[in-house]
DNA sequence: CTTAGGG
DNA sequence: CCCTAAG
């Protein structure tokens, strides 16, 4: 039995989101120190490494890489590693499902809101890096790490979070500066644990990439064939009522890419190949509903 | 909040 | 995926 080595390289680690608060009078040096302390505190605590393949977490640790689908020929679309606080043991006792990087229970507790999404993947785990496997044992890495930006734009205009029954976008942490009072701490700086955004600072975190599976595409196409391309709210409700991710805007965007995908040569397509049969249906439906929409507009003009 | 498109 | 002007 061949046992080829699956070589992987992690291009870079995105530091988990850190919370830092300090007075405006603090210096850049103070800022650096505060961030350093937050980082050290995080690393000092025990963390877990979670492995995700194409957005789905791999829970069965007894699986071999090959069985899990992490093989050279397994056209790995995206292998992700995330660091998670060792707050709540997922299920079993010790040494269970994860690799414990560090077993140090430091003093102050940096809290990371554990907002789970039922059966879905915890969207607020820390995305650390992405690795991609290539057919020939070559490996690239998704340079697009969606992690915390600790550079300049640490803040943006407040976003209106949809608070409906769905469309839940956690994003509890971000590096923010408390413009308010100077906490009483050794040097006026303080690494504080916060639950939300006390100062009303926008918590914007890019969502993790979740490539549509062929099965999902199938469902989407089915829905669009029935409902058309102008009622994404309904498409979402009919095709992905339970998927917390996959908002109607996502579905609309996916349809857009599908239409495009169907128009380009197969060799130019990326990701898991979508059956040509499905792409044909995409074109059919797209064509049909586009014409339908044109007719609608004609009617509207007649009325006017 | 939903549509509809550009970014 | 994100951002947003319009509706």
């Amino acid at each position: 039995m061949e046992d080829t080595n699956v070589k992987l390289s992690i291009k870079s680690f995105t530091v988990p989101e850190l919370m830092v608060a300090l007075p405006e009078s603090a210096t850049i040096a103070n800022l650096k120190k505060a961030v350093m302390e937050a980082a050290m505190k995080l690393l000092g605590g025990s963390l877990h490494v979670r492995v995700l393949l194409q957005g789905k977490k791999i829970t069965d640790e007894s699986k071999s890489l090959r069985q899990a689908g992490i093989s050279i020929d397994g056209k790995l679309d995206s292998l992700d590693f995330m660091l998670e606080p060792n707050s709540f043991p997922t299920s079993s006792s010790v040494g269970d499902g994860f690799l414990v990087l560090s077993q140090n229970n430091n003093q102050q507790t940096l809290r990371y809101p554990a907002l789970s999404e039922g059966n879905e993947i915890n969207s607020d785990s820390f995305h650390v890096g992405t690795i991609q496997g290539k057919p020939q044992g070559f490996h690239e890495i998704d340079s697009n790490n969606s992690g915390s930006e600790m550079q300049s734009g640490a803040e943006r205009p407040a976003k209106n979070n949809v608070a409906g029954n769905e469309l839940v976008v956690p994003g509890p942490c971000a590096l923010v500066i408390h413009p308010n009072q100077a906490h009483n701490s050794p040097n006026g700086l303080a690494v504080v644990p916060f639950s939300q955004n006390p100062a009303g600072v926008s918590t914007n975190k890019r969502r993790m990439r979740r490539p549509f599976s062929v099965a999902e595409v199938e469902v989407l196409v089915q829905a669009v064939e029935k409902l058309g391309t102008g009622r994404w709210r309904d498409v979402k409700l009919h095709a992905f009522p339970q998927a917390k991710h996959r908002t109607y805007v996502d579905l609309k965007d996916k349809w857009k890419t599908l239409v495009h995908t169907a128009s380009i040569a197969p060799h130019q397509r990326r990701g898991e190949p979508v059956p040509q049969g499905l792409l044909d249906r995409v074109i059919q439906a797209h064509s049909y509903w586009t014409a339908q929409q044109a007719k609608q507009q004609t009617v509207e003009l007649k009325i006017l």
Side-chain angles (χ1 to χ4, degrees):
Chain A
M1 180 54 93
E2 273 290 340
D3 194 23
T4 314
N5 282 314
V6 179
K7 302 174 184 176
L8 302 173
S9 67
I10 296 176
K11 189 174 184 180
S12 69
F13 273 75
T14 296
V15 178
E17 292 162 26
L18 305 172
M19 312 310 281
V20 178
L22 61 173
E24 293 182 298
S25 59
T27 65
I28 296 300
N30 289 327
L31 208 197
K32 288 185 177 179
K33 182 179 180 185
V35 173
M36 170 63 138
E37 293 182 336
M40 293 308 279
K41 187 156 296 182
L42 173 76
L43 296 176
S46 66
L47 297 172
H48 276 158
V49 169
R50 184 180 287 287
V51 181
L52 295 84
L53 183 58
Q54 293 176 12
K56 299 192 63 177
K57 59 184 177 184
I58 299 175
T59 52
D60 186 349
E61 300 208 346
S62 62
K63 274 187 177 179
S64 66
L65 296 183
R66 182 180 301 148
Q67 297 177 308
I70 304 174
S71 56
I72 294 180
D73 51 280
K75 51 193 169 198
L76 289 180
D77 193 84
S78 68
L79 214 199
D80 299 302
F81 291 86
M82 304 190 293
L83 288 185
E84 303 182 310
N86 188 187
S87 315
F88 323 100
T90 305
S91 55
S92 357
S93 55
V94 191
D96 57 339
F98 311 94
L99 165 64
V100 177
L101 286 182
S102 172
Q103 197 60 283
N104 257 324
N105 290 314
N106 274 12
Q107 61 283 55
Q108 296 304 311
T109 307
L110 273 181
R111 280 185 34 212
Y112 299 93
L115 309 174
S116 60
E117 304 179 348
N119 304 312
E120 300 302 335
I121 302 166
N122 286 315
S123 66
D124 61 324
S125 297
F126 304 125
H127 184 179
V128 183
T130 300
I131 296 177
Q132 288 193 325
K134 278 297 179 64
Q136 290 307 305
F138 259 79
H139 309 287
E140 295 182 349
I141 300 172
D142 238 42
S143 57
N144 308 311
N145 287 323
S146 53
S148 54
E149 292 291 18
M150 308 200 294
Q151 295 294 310
S152 53
E155 55 189 349
R156 270 189 276 176
K159 216 66 287 297
N160 44 315
N161 297 313
V162 180
N165 358 319
E166 30 199 6
L167 315 186
V168 180
V169 184
C173 308
L175 172 63
V176 298
I177 297 177
H178 264 182
N180 308 321
Q181 43 13 63
H183 292 186
N184 297 311
S185 180
N187 45 39
L189 299 181
V191 174
V192 301
F194 40 42
S195 50
Q196 301 296 113
N197 33 32
V201 178
S202 160
T203 285
N204 49 291
K205 181 157 98 285
R206 196 187 182 80
R207 289 182 296 161
M208 144 174 63
R209 247 185 80 91
R210 268 145 156 185
F212 277 69
S213 65
V214 174
E216 290 179 301
V217 173
E218 165 70 64
V219 174
L220 176 59
V221 172
Q222 164 75 56
V224 174
E225 290 176 322
K226 179 186 296 295
L227 304 171
T229 56
R231 301 160 59 193
W232 300 105
R233 203 306 192 68
D234 293 323
V235 171
K236 191 277 187 289
L237 264 36
H238 285 277
F240 301 86
Q242 294 302 298
K244 294 301 181 182
H245 52 293
R246 308 311 189 205
T247 68
Y248 46 79
V249 174
D250 292 328
L251 302 182
K252 180 265 293 176
D253 288 336
K254 180 54 183 176
W255 183 260
K256 178 173 60 180
T257 70
L258 279 174
V259 171
H260 178 258
T261 297
S263 72
I264 62 178
H267 72 277
Q268 297 180 61
R269 300 170 187 166
R270 290 178 291 177
E272 318 84 275
V274 177
Q276 186 55 49
L278 221 51
L279 292 178
D280 289 336
R281 291 169 63 189
V282 168
I283 296 180
Q284 293 297 315
H286 175 262
S287 177
Y288 175 79
W289 289 107
T290 293
Q292 203 60 46
Q293 208 162 55
K295 288 182 179 180
Q296 277 299 307
Q297 287 180 39
T298 296
V299 174
E300 288 170 21
L301 287 176
K302 278 186 175 181
I303 296 175
L304 290 179

